[in-house]
Amino acid sequence: MLQRIQTLFLLLASVCMLVATVTPLASFFYNGDPVVFQAMGMYRSGDLESSTWALFAIGAISALLPIVTVFLYKTRILQIRISIFNIFLMVGFYLYFGFLIFNINPEAGLQFQKIGIGAIMPVIAIILTYLAIRRIGADEILVRSFHRLRK
C-alpha cells in the first residue's frame, strides 16, 4: 500500500542506493595522480583507468528492488524476503567496493583524500530497509490476528 510508512522507508532506501551508484564513492591519490572512484569506474586524472560495471550493476539492482517491493503489498512475506535479499546485495556492494580498493597495488602509495557521499548511502539504505522489514512484519502480525478473530 502506498500510504504505509514502510513504503516511505523503501523509497528512501531506493533513492540512497541510486545516489550511491551515481556519485563518487572515494577520491584518493595513486602514485601522485588524483583518482576518483565511482560505481562505474576509477578515473585517474579524468581518464577511465578501470571499469567497475559489476559494482554499478549491484547498486542499480539494489536501487530497483525496493521499488518492486513496494508493489508487492499483498504478499508481505515475499516483501520481507526480497528486502532481506536486498540487504545482502547492499552488503555485497560494500564487500566488492572494499575488494576493488584493496586490489589496487598497495606498494604504489595509495593515500585517501576523502570518502564520498556514495560510500555512506548504502549504510543508510540498509537501516531504512531494516525499518521497512520491521513495519512489514508488524502488518503481517496484525493481519494474522484479524484472521484469527474471524474464525
Side-chain angles (χ1 to χ4, degrees):
M1 295 191 193
L2 296 176
Q3 71 268 20
R4 307 297 290 173
I5 189 70
Q6 60 262 27
T7 302
L8 180 66
F9 290 149
L10 289 171
L11 291 177
L12 286 174
S14 178
V15 168
C16 287
M17 285 308 296
L18 184 65
V19 167
T21 57
V22 297
T23 59
L25 298 172
S27 59
F28 50 90
F29 289 106
Y30 181 68
N31 286 339
D33 295 330
V35 176
V36 176
F37 189 98
Q38 293 182 349
M40 287 189 250
M42 285 191 274
Y43 297 92
R44 183 188 289 185
S45 300
D47 297 327
L48 182 65
E49 178 73 23
S50 66
S51 179
T52 56
W53 281 97
L55 189 65
F56 177 76
I58 292 170
I61 291 169
S62 296
L64 290 176
L65 270 178
I67 294 173
V68 170
T69 305
V70 167
F71 295 106
L72 297 174
Y73 58 88
K74 290 186 180 182
T75 54
R76 287 169 294 281
I77 299 299
L78 183 62
Q79 272 187 323
I80 291 171
R81 288 180 180 163
I82 290 175
S83 296
I84 290 171
F85 176 70
N86 195 20
I87 287 176
F88 284 125
L89 272 179
M90 290 183 266
V91 169
F93 182 87
Y94 270 125
L95 292 175
Y96 190 58
F97 172 63
F99 171 76
L100 290 173
I101 290 292
F102 288 116
N103 198 21
I104 299 172
N105 189 1
E107 300 162 358
L110 180 71
Q111 298 173 341
F112 274 98
Q113 184 178 1
K114 67 178 180 173
I115 299 293
I117 190 77
I120 299 166
M121 286 295 157
V123 170
I124 297 170
I126 288 170
I127 293 169
L128 289 169
T129 305
Y130 173 73
L131 292 173
I133 289 171
R134 291 198 43 162
R135 295 300 300 218
I136 294 167
D139 281 353
E140 180 64 21
I141 290 171
L142 182 67
V143 168
R144 286 188 183 186
S145 70
F146 286 147
H147 285 300
R148 187 176 49 239
L149 292 174
R150 288 184 195 164
K151 291 181 182 180

